[in-house]
Amino acid sequence: MTTLPDGVRHYPEHFDLEAQQALLEDVRHVVRQAPLYVPTMPRTGKPMSVRMTNCGTLGWVTDRQRGYRYQATHPETAAPWPKIPSMLLDLWREVSAYPHPPEACLVNFYSADARMGLHQDRDEEDFSAPVVSVSLGDDCLFRIGGVRRADATTSLRLRSGDVIVLGGQSRLAYHGVDRIYAGTSMLLKTEGRINLTLRRVTIP
Ligand code: SIN
Ligand code: FE2
């Protein structure tokens, strides 16, 4: 049993296989309208190893010139982001304990060798809402620490259908993905992992 920092909640297999398949269909629908693209780091322009897209009224984007931010349109097609699927809005209502809907759902696609360095989610205005995240596909090794980069971290394996909530004292906790365990799930047609991250951005 892993003890998680205060404010972190892990719901193993919150979505069963049937629900994961339905959610995956929703994600495919989103990606058809808002294609995955390669985000780049502020200043250096270094490409991230994950591919990204969003749904919601706002999407999280990053590029060399303008850095991390939220915007209402896809950076490559300039189209508004598609709607957040209802299953994810239902999830938010169930687990967020926050009275307003999420505005952004970041979709991250990890190939077998992709990773995400330790970071805070802090580009939002409203930190009273939690970050709610769903894993689909291959397992990953997720790492979560405290609100300072140097704080001790805990690692846990996230599996397809798992939900993790970062709220309260852990809303600004450092977190990242150290590795993908390729071939551990049969859900996707290929190796890899999808992560869906729901966030409230603006103060209502
Ligand atoms: C993220 O922090 O944006 C993604 C976390 C994850 O992939 O589980
Ligand atoms: Fe994050």
Side-chain angles (χ1 to χ4, degrees):
M1 160 91 205
T2 311
T3 307
L4 297 171
D6 277 356
V8 180
R9 295 193 325 265
H10 179 205
Y11 300 83
E13 257 193 286
H14 179 84
F15 293 106
D16 65 14
L17 184 58
E18 201 178 324
Q20 292 168 42
Q21 284 161 343
L23 200 45
L24 180 60
E25 276 314 307
D26 287 342
V27 173
R28 288 186 174 131
H29 184 72
V30 165
V31 170
R32 279 195 293 271
Q33 297 171 76
L36 291 165
Y37 62 92
V38 178
T40 53
M41 298 296 286
R43 292 180 298 278
T44 62
K46 191 175 176 291
M48 293 178 71
S49 60
V50 296
R51 290 188 293 150
M52 287 184 178
T53 189
N54 288 270
C55 49
T57 53
L58 291 170
W60 186 87
V61 299
T62 171
D63 58 30
R64 174 180 223 143
Q65 279 83 20
R66 295 174 59 203
Y68 302 156
R69 64 194 185 276
Y70 282 92
Q71 65 180 42
T73 55
H74 189 289
E76 292 183 353
T77 69
W81 304 106
K83 283 195 164 50
I84 298 179
S86 61
M87 281 181 78
L88 293 174
L89 297 175
D90 291 346
L91 171 69
W92 177 269
R93 272 190 295 270
E94 274 173 59
V95 303
S96 73
Y98 183 82
H100 306 281
E103 294 167 296
C105 175
L106 174 64
V107 179
N108 289 314
F109 178 77
Y110 296 77
S111 55
D113 55 1
R115 287 172 297 122
M116 172 112 32
L118 270 194
H119 66 276
Q120 293 173 296
D121 289 7
R122 58 161 196 209
D123 300 314
E124 302 74 32
E125 293 165 9
D126 192 352
F127 296 135
S128 66
V131 171
V132 174
S133 117
V134 184
S135 296
L136 293 174
D138 284 336
D139 297 1
C140 79
L141 188 63
F142 183 78
R143 192 142 63 98
I144 174 104
V147 296
R148 285 176 303 264
R149 185 177 283 280
D151 289 343
T153 62
T154 307
S155 292
L156 67 153
R157 195 158 170 141
L158 295 180
R159 295 184 172 79
S160 197
D162 286 11
V163 169
I164 189 148
V165 179
L166 306 188
Q169 285 196 50
S170 287
R171 172 62 183 77
L172 290 169
Y174 276 86
H175 59 280
V177 172
D178 288 332
R179 63 165 295 192
I180 302 297
Y181 296 98
T184 48
S185 163
M186 299 285 285
L187 185 74
L188 310 185
K189 287 181 188 142
T190 59
E191 289 181 341
R193 169 176 182 264
I194 293 170
N195 171 256
L196 309 169
T197 305
L198 295 162
R199 306 192 187 113
R200 178 75 198 187
V201 180
T202 64
I203 296 171

